[in-house]
Amino acid sequence: GENVEQHPSTLSVQEGDSAVIKCTYSDSASNYFPWYKQELGKRPQLIIDIRSNVGEKKDQRIAVTLNKTAKHFSLHITETQPEDSAVYFCADPNFGNEKLTFGTGTRLTIIP
Amino acid sequence: DSGVTQTPKHLITATGQRVTLRCSPRSGDLSVYWYQQSLDQGLQFLIQYYNGEERAKGNILERFSAQQFPDLHSELNLSSLELGDSALYFCASSVGSNRNQPQHFGDGTRLSIL
């Protein structure tokens, strides 16, 4: 099936360091950009989202930035902790016509 | 707890069989979405219902069908099951029909085809 471009596919980060995951969206008319976290064997959970009228949104150690010129948005996690280990998915609401399409996912591993 | 309820949690069946997965959305949500997640794969959108009507369709096989009932719960029917249908099936719900809003996921149904 179709998926939104997301990089990297895997990421290992030393505990306490920062992690950045990038997602490229397809349509300049897109106006909603969510990030979901899925721990092993669990359901995806929305952790942060941003609308196109702002360039950045922050929630404690998590932030999302939006670059409308380059058509990508990024998830930033600072001061990473072991519980941040999970698969992270972005989503593009305008990819592939009338459906919210998820990225291929990034498996983040925090090394203690 | 997301407020989205999926049953059963696990389902084991054989090839050629038919199963029904059930989803109750969060209170107040009118949209229900179904996704398939195979091992180490991403989330593949199957279908969306809004207030009882089909709203959007993804890569859903003809052997699969879904519906949303007047009480807003939804069922996903999978028939003539094949080994490749083994996967986690998630249901999600949102308030409106617009895809530009948060989706709340249930805990999923793990389907194993033997």
Side-chain angles (χ1 to χ4, degrees), chain A residues 1-3 30-32 36 38 41-46 49 51 89 92-95 97-105 107, chain B residues 1-2 33 35 37 40-45 48 55-59 88 90 98-108 110:
Chain A
E2 301 168 277
N3 285 107
S30 293
N31 58 11
Y32 176 67
Y36 289 80
Q38 186 178 25
K42 302 281 184 67
R43 59 184 166 86
Q45 287 185 274
L46 179 73
D49 56 10
R51 305 249 171 215
F89 293 98
D92 179 355
N94 282 339
F95 184 94
N97 191 30
E98 292 288 323
K99 57 188 181 185
L100 183 71
T101 302
F102 284 83
T104 47
R107 184 176 299 280
Chain B
D1 182 13
S2 66
Y33 308 78
Y35 293 90
Q37 187 175 42
D40 273 350
Q41 296 293 308
L43 290 155
Q44 297 299 321
F45 170 74
Q48 176 198 357
R55 179 74 175 85
K57 213 166 188 175
N59 300 317
L88 252 180
F90 286 104
N98 194 311
R99 57 194 178 279
N100 297 328
Q101 58 192 287
Q103 293 186 17
H104 304 273
F105 283 78
D107 289 334
R110 183 172 296 280

Coordinates of all heavy atoms in Angstrom, one line a residue, chain A residues 1-3 30-32 36 38 41-46 49 51 89 92-95 97-105 107, chain B residues 1-2 33 35 37 40-45 48 55-59 88 90 98-108 110:
Chain A
G1 N 0.8 -1.2 0.0 CA 0.0 0.0 0.0 C 0.9 1.3 0.0 O 2.1 1.2 0.2
E2 N 0.2 2.4 -0.2 CA 0.9 3.6 -0.2 C 1.3 4.1 1.2 O 0.5 3.9 2.2 CB 0.1 4.7 -0.8 CG -0.4 4.4 -2.2 CD -1.5 5.4 -2.6 OE1 -2.6 5.2 -2.3 OE2 -1.1 6.4 -3.3
N3 N 2.4 4.7 1.4 CA 2.8 5.2 2.7 C 3.5 6.6 2.5 O 4.0 6.8 1.4 CB 3.8 4.3 3.4 CG 3.1 3.1 4.0 OD1 3.2 2.0 3.5 ND2 2.3 3.3 5.0
S30 N -2.3 20.6 2.7 CA -2.4 19.9 4.0 C -2.3 20.8 5.2 O -1.4 21.8 5.1 CB -1.2 18.8 4.1 OG -1.4 17.8 3.2
N31 N -3.1 20.7 6.2 CA -3.1 21.6 7.3 C -3.1 21.0 8.6 O -3.3 21.6 9.7 CB -4.3 22.6 7.1 CG -5.6 21.8 7.1 OD1 -5.7 20.6 7.4 ND2 -6.7 22.5 6.8
Y32 N -2.9 19.7 8.7 CA -2.9 19.0 10.0 C -1.8 17.9 10.0 O -1.8 17.1 9.1 CB -4.3 18.4 10.2 CG -4.3 17.6 11.5 CD1 -4.2 18.2 12.8 CD2 -4.5 16.2 11.5 CE1 -4.2 17.4 13.9 CE2 -4.5 15.4 12.6 CZ -4.4 16.0 13.9 OH -4.5 15.3 15.0
Y36 N 2.2 9.9 16.0 CA 1.7 8.8 16.9 C 2.9 8.0 17.4 O 3.8 7.8 16.7 CB 0.7 7.9 16.2 CG -0.6 8.6 15.9 CD1 -0.8 9.4 14.8 CD2 -1.7 8.3 16.7 CE1 -2.0 10.0 14.5 CE2 -3.0 8.9 16.4 CZ -3.1 9.8 15.3 OH -4.3 10.3 15.1
Q38 N 3.8 4.2 19.1 CA 3.3 2.9 19.3 C 4.3 2.0 20.0 O 5.4 1.7 19.5 CB 2.9 2.2 18.0 CG 2.2 0.8 18.2 CD 1.7 0.2 16.9 OE1 2.3 0.4 15.8 NE2 0.7 -0.7 17.0
G41 N 3.5 -4.0 21.0 CA 2.2 -4.7 21.3 C 1.1 -3.9 21.8 O 0.1 -4.4 22.2
K42 N 1.3 -2.5 21.7 CA 0.2 -1.6 22.1 C -0.4 -0.9 21.0 O 0.0 -1.0 19.8 CB 0.8 -0.6 23.1 CG 1.5 -1.3 24.3 CD 0.5 -1.7 25.3 CE 1.1 -2.2 26.6 NZ 1.8 -1.2 27.4
R43 N -1.4 -0.1 21.3 CA -2.1 0.7 20.2 C -1.3 2.0 19.9 O -0.6 2.5 20.8 CB -3.5 1.1 20.7 CG -3.5 1.9 22.0 CD -4.9 2.1 22.5 NE -4.9 2.6 23.9 CZ -4.8 3.8 24.3 NH1 -4.7 4.8 23.4 NH2 -4.8 4.1 25.6
P44 N -1.4 2.5 18.7 CA -0.9 3.8 18.5 C -1.5 4.9 19.3 O -2.8 4.9 19.5 CB -1.2 4.1 17.0 CG -1.4 2.7 16.4 CD -2.1 1.9 17.6
Q45 N -0.7 5.9 19.8 CA -1.3 7.0 20.6 C -0.8 8.3 20.1 O 0.4 8.4 19.8 CB -0.9 6.8 22.1 CG -1.5 5.7 22.8 CD -1.1 5.7 24.3 OE1 -0.1 5.2 24.7 NE2 -1.9 6.4 25.1
L46 N -1.7 9.2 19.9 CA -1.3 10.5 19.5 C -0.5 11.2 20.5 O -0.9 11.2 21.7 CB -2.6 11.4 19.2 CG -2.3 12.8 18.8 CD1 -1.8 12.8 17.3 CD2 -3.6 13.7 18.9
D49 N 0.5 17.1 17.8 CA 0.0 17.4 16.4 C 0.2 18.9 16.2 O 0.3 19.7 17.2 CB -1.4 16.9 16.1 CG -2.4 17.4 17.1 OD1 -2.1 18.3 17.9 OD2 -3.6 17.0 17.1
R51 N -1.0 22.3 13.5 CA -1.8 22.8 12.4 C -0.9 23.8 11.6 O 0.1 24.3 12.1 CB -3.1 23.6 12.8 CG -3.9 22.7 13.8 CD -5.2 22.3 13.2 NE -5.9 21.3 14.0 CZ -6.7 20.4 13.5 NH1 -6.8 20.2 12.2 NH2 -7.3 19.5 14.3
F89 N 5.0 7.1 14.3 CA 4.4 7.3 12.9 C 4.0 8.7 12.7 O 3.3 9.3 13.6 CB 3.2 6.4 12.8 CG 3.5 4.9 12.8 CD1 3.3 4.1 13.9 CD2 3.8 4.3 11.6 CE1 3.5 2.8 13.9 CE2 4.1 2.9 11.6 CZ 3.9 2.1 12.8
D92 N -0.2 11.9 7.0 CA -0.5 13.0 6.1 C -2.0 12.9 5.7 O -2.4 11.9 5.1 CB 0.4 12.8 4.9 CG 0.1 13.9 3.8 OD1 -0.8 14.7 4.0 OD2 0.8 13.9 2.8
P93 N -2.8 13.9 6.1 CA -4.3 13.7 5.8 C -4.6 13.9 4.3 O -5.8 13.6 4.0 CB -4.8 14.9 6.6 CG -3.7 15.9 6.7 CD -2.5 15.1 6.7
N94 N -3.7 14.4 3.5 CA -4.1 14.6 2.1 C -3.4 13.7 1.1 O -3.4 13.9 -0.1 CB -3.8 16.1 1.7 CG -4.9 17.0 2.2 OD1 -6.0 16.6 2.6 ND2 -4.5 18.2 2.4
F95 N -2.7 12.7 1.7 CA -2.0 11.8 0.8 C -2.9 10.7 0.2 O -3.6 10.1 1.0 CB -0.9 11.1 1.6 CG 0.0 10.2 0.8 CD1 1.2 10.6 0.3 CD2 -0.3 8.8 0.6 CE1 2.1 9.8 -0.4 CE2 0.5 8.0 -0.1 CZ 1.7 8.5 -0.6
N97 N -5.6 10.9 -1.6 CA -7.0 11.2 -1.8 C -8.0 10.7 -0.7 O -8.4 9.6 -0.6 CB -7.5 10.6 -3.1 CG -8.9 11.0 -3.5 OD1 -9.3 12.1 -3.2 ND2 -9.6 10.2 -4.2
E98 N -8.4 11.6 0.2 CA -9.5 11.3 1.1 C -9.1 10.3 2.2 O -10.0 9.7 2.8 CB -10.7 10.8 0.4 CG -11.4 11.8 -0.5 CD -12.1 12.9 0.3 OE1 -12.7 12.5 1.3 OE2 -12.1 14.1 -0.1
K99 N -7.9 10.1 2.6 CA -7.6 9.3 3.7 C -6.4 9.7 4.4 O -5.5 10.3 3.8 CB -7.5 7.8 3.2 CG -6.3 7.7 2.2 CD -6.3 6.3 1.6 CE -5.2 6.1 0.6 NZ -5.2 4.8 -0.1
L100 N -6.4 9.5 5.7 CA -5.2 9.8 6.5 C -4.2 8.7 6.3 O -4.5 7.5 6.7 CB -5.7 9.9 8.0 CG -4.5 10.3 9.0 CD1 -4.2 11.8 8.8 CD2 -5.0 10.1 10.4
T101 N -3.1 8.9 5.7 CA -2.1 7.9 5.4 C -0.9 8.0 6.4 O -0.4 9.1 6.5 CB -1.6 8.0 4.0 OG1 -2.8 7.9 3.1 CG2 -0.7 6.9 3.6
F102 N -0.6 6.9 6.9 CA 0.5 6.9 7.9 C 1.9 6.7 7.2 O 2.0 6.1 6.2 CB 0.3 5.8 8.9 CG -0.7 6.2 10.0 CD1 -2.1 6.0 9.7 CD2 -0.4 6.8 11.2 CE1 -3.1 6.4 10.6 CE2 -1.3 7.1 12.1 CZ -2.7 7.0 11.8
G103 N 2.9 7.2 7.8 CA 4.3 7.0 7.4 C 4.7 5.6 7.7 O 4.0 4.8 8.3
T104 N 5.8 5.2 7.2 CA 6.3 3.8 7.3 C 6.8 3.5 8.7 O 7.1 2.4 9.0 CB 7.5 3.6 6.3 OG1 8.4 4.7 6.4 CG2 6.9 3.5 4.9
G105 N 7.0 4.5 9.5 CA 7.4 4.3 10.9 C 8.9 4.4 11.2 O 9.7 4.1 10.3
R107 N 11.6 3.2 14.1 CA 11.8 2.4 15.4 C 12.9 3.1 16.2 O 14.1 3.1 15.7 CB 12.2 1.0 15.1 CG 12.3 0.1 16.4 CD 12.6 -1.3 16.0 NE 11.5 -1.9 15.2 CZ 10.4 -2.4 15.7 NH1 10.1 -2.3 17.0 NH2 9.4 -2.9 14.9
Chain B
D1 N -6.4 4.6 28.8 CA -7.6 4.1 28.1 C -8.1 5.1 27.1 O -8.4 6.2 27.5 CB -8.7 3.7 29.2 CG -9.9 3.1 28.5 OD1 -9.8 2.7 27.3 OD2 -11.0 3.1 29.2
S2 N -8.2 4.7 25.8 CA -8.6 5.6 24.8 C -10.1 5.8 24.7 O -10.6 6.8 24.1 CB -8.1 5.1 23.4 OG -8.8 3.9 23.1
Y33 N -12.7 4.3 12.0 CA -11.7 3.9 11.0 C -11.2 2.5 11.3 O -11.0 2.1 12.4 CB -10.5 4.8 11.0 CG -10.8 6.3 10.9 CD1 -11.2 7.0 12.1 CD2 -10.6 7.0 9.8 CE1 -11.5 8.3 12.0 CE2 -10.9 8.4 9.7 CZ -11.3 9.0 10.9 OH -11.6 10.4 10.8
Y35 N -7.9 -0.2 10.4 CA -6.6 -0.3 9.9 C -6.1 -1.7 10.1 O -6.5 -2.4 11.0 CB -5.6 0.6 10.7 CG -5.8 2.1 10.5 CD1 -6.7 2.8 11.4 CD2 -5.2 2.8 9.5 CE1 -6.9 4.1 11.2 CE2 -5.4 4.2 9.4 CZ -6.3 4.8 10.2 OH -6.5 6.2 10.1
Q37 N -2.4 -3.9 10.5 CA -1.0 -3.8 10.7 C -0.4 -5.2 10.7 O -0.6 -5.9 11.7 CB -0.7 -3.0 12.0 CG 0.8 -2.8 12.2 CD 1.0 -1.9 13.5 OE1 0.4 -2.1 14.5 NE2 1.9 -0.9 13.4
D40 N 5.7 -6.0 11.8 CA 6.7 -5.1 11.5 C 6.3 -4.2 10.3 O 7.2 -3.7 9.6 CB 8.0 -5.8 11.2 CG 8.8 -6.0 12.4 OD1 8.5 -5.5 13.5 OD2 9.8 -6.7 12.4
Q41 N 5.1 -4.0 10.1 CA 4.6 -3.1 9.0 C 3.9 -1.9 9.6 O 3.6 -1.8 10.8 CB 3.6 -3.9 8.1 CG 4.2 -5.1 7.4 CD 5.3 -4.6 6.4 OE1 5.0 -3.8 5.5 NE2 6.5 -5.2 6.5
G42 N 3.7 -1.0 8.7 CA 3.0 0.2 9.1 C 1.5 0.0 9.2 O 1.0 -1.1 9.1
L43 N 0.8 1.1 9.4 CA -0.7 1.0 9.5 C -1.3 1.3 8.1 O -1.2 2.3 7.5 CB -1.2 2.1 10.4 CG -0.8 1.9 11.9 CD1 -0.7 3.2 12.6 CD2 -1.8 1.0 12.5
Q44 N -2.0 0.3 7.6 CA -2.7 0.4 6.3 C -4.2 0.7 6.5 O -4.9 -0.1 7.1 CB -2.5 -0.9 5.5 CG -1.1 -1.2 5.2 CD -0.4 -0.2 4.3 OE1 -1.0 0.4 3.4 NE2 0.9 0.1 4.6
F45 N -4.6 1.8 6.0 CA -6.0 2.2 6.1 C -6.9 1.3 5.3 O -6.6 1.1 4.1 CB -6.1 3.7 5.7 CG -7.5 4.2 5.5 CD1 -8.3 4.4 6.7 CD2 -8.1 4.4 4.3 CE1 -9.6 4.9 6.5 CE2 -9.3 4.8 4.1 CZ -10.1 5.1 5.3
Q48 N -13.3 3.9 6.3 CA -13.8 4.9 7.3 C -15.3 4.9 7.2 O -15.9 5.0 6.1 CB -13.2 6.3 7.1 CG -13.8 7.3 8.1 CD -13.6 8.7 7.6 OE1 -12.9 9.0 6.6 NE2 -14.1 9.7 8.4
R55 N -17.4 6.6 4.3 CA -16.8 8.0 4.1 C -15.6 7.9 3.2 O -15.4 8.8 2.4 CB -16.5 8.6 5.4 CG -15.9 10.0 5.3 CD -16.9 11.0 5.0 NE -16.4 12.4 5.0 CZ -15.7 12.9 4.0 NH1 -15.5 12.3 2.9 NH2 -15.3 14.2 4.1
A56 N -14.7 6.9 3.4 CA -13.5 6.8 2.6 C -13.1 5.4 2.6 O -13.4 4.6 3.5 CB -12.4 7.7 3.2
K57 N -12.4 5.0 1.5 CA -12.0 3.6 1.3 C -10.5 3.6 1.0 O -10.1 4.3 0.2 CB -12.8 3.0 0.2 CG -13.1 1.5 0.3 CD -14.2 1.1 -0.7 CE -14.7 -0.3 -0.4 NZ -15.8 -0.7 -1.3
G58 N -9.8 2.6 1.6 CA -8.4 2.5 1.4 C -8.2 1.2 0.6 O -9.0 0.8 -0.2
N59 N -7.1 0.5 1.0 CA -6.8 -0.7 0.3 C -7.5 -1.9 0.8 O -6.8 -2.9 1.3 CB -5.2 -0.9 0.3 CG -4.5 0.2 -0.3 OD1 -4.9 0.7 -1.4 ND2 -3.5 0.7 0.3
L88 N -2.6 -7.5 13.0 CA -3.3 -6.8 14.1 C -4.3 -5.8 13.4 O -3.9 -5.1 12.4 CB -2.4 -5.9 14.9 CG -2.0 -6.2 16.3 CD1 -1.0 -5.2 16.8 CD2 -3.2 -6.3 17.2
F90 N -6.7 -2.7 13.9 CA -7.1 -1.6 14.8 C -8.3 -0.9 14.3 O -8.5 -0.7 13.1 CB -5.9 -0.6 14.9 CG -4.7 -1.1 15.7 CD1 -3.6 -1.5 15.1 CD2 -4.8 -1.1 17.1 CE1 -2.5 -1.9 15.8 CE2 -3.7 -1.5 17.9 CZ -2.6 -1.9 17.2
N98 N -14.0 14.7 9.1 CA -12.7 15.3 8.6 C -11.5 14.6 9.1 O -11.4 14.3 10.3 CB -12.7 16.8 9.0 CG -11.6 17.6 8.3 OD1 -10.5 17.1 8.1 ND2 -12.0 18.7 7.8
R99 N -10.6 14.3 8.2 CA -9.4 13.5 8.5 C -8.4 14.4 9.2 O -7.3 13.9 9.7 CB -8.8 12.8 7.3 CG -8.5 13.8 6.2 CD -8.2 13.1 4.9 NE -7.9 14.0 3.8 CZ -8.9 14.7 3.1 NH1 -10.1 14.5 3.4 NH2 -8.5 15.5 2.2
N100 N -8.6 15.7 9.3 CA -7.7 16.6 9.9 C -7.9 16.8 11.4 O -8.1 17.9 11.9 CB -7.8 18.0 9.2 CG -7.4 17.9 7.7 OD1 -6.6 17.1 7.3 ND2 -8.0 18.7 6.9
Q101 N -8.0 15.6 12.1 CA -8.2 15.7 13.5 C -7.7 14.4 14.2 O -7.4 13.4 13.5 CB -9.7 15.8 13.8 CG -10.5 14.6 13.2 CD -12.0 14.9 13.2 OE1 -12.6 14.8 14.2 NE2 -12.6 15.2 12.0
P102 N -7.5 14.5 15.4 CA -6.9 13.3 16.1 C -7.7 12.1 16.0 O -9.0 12.2 16.1 CB -6.8 13.8 17.6 CG -6.8 15.3 17.5 CD -7.7 15.6 16.3
Q103 N -7.1 11.0 15.9 CA -7.8 9.7 15.9 C -7.4 9.0 17.2 O -6.2 9.0 17.6 CB -7.4 8.8 14.7 CG -7.9 9.4 13.4 CD -7.7 8.5 12.2 OE1 -7.5 7.3 12.4 NE2 -7.8 9.1 11.0
H104 N -8.3 8.3 17.8 CA -8.1 7.5 19.1 C -8.3 6.1 18.8 O -9.3 5.6 18.3 CB -9.1 8.0 20.1 CG -9.1 9.5 20.3 ND1 -8.2 10.1 21.2 CD2 -9.7 10.5 19.8 CE1 -8.3 11.4 21.2 NE2 -9.3 11.7 20.3
F105 N -7.2 5.3 19.1 CA -7.2 3.9 18.7 C -7.6 3.0 19.8 O -7.3 3.3 21.0 CB -5.7 3.5 18.3 CG -5.3 4.0 16.9 CD1 -5.0 5.3 16.7 CD2 -5.3 3.1 15.8 CE1 -4.6 5.8 15.4 CE2 -5.0 3.6 14.6 CZ -4.6 4.9 14.4
G106 N -8.2 1.9 19.4 CA -8.5 0.8 20.3 C -7.2 0.0 20.5 O -6.2 0.2 19.9
D107 N -7.3 -1.1 21.4 CA -6.2 -1.9 21.6 C -6.0 -3.0 20.6 O -5.0 -3.7 20.6 CB -6.4 -2.6 23.0 CG -6.2 -1.6 24.1 OD1 -5.5 -0.6 24.0 OD2 -6.8 -1.9 25.2
G108 N -6.9 -3.1 19.6 CA -6.6 -4.0 18.5 C -7.2 -5.4 18.7 O -7.4 -5.8 19.8
R110 N -5.9 -9.2 17.5 CA -4.8 -9.9 16.8 C -5.5 -11.1 16.2 O -6.0 -12.0 16.9 CB -3.8 -10.3 17.8 CG -2.6 -11.0 17.2 CD -1.4 -11.3 18.1 NE -0.9 -10.0 18.6 CZ 0.0 -9.3 17.9 NH1 0.4 -9.7 16.7 NH2 0.5 -8.2 18.5

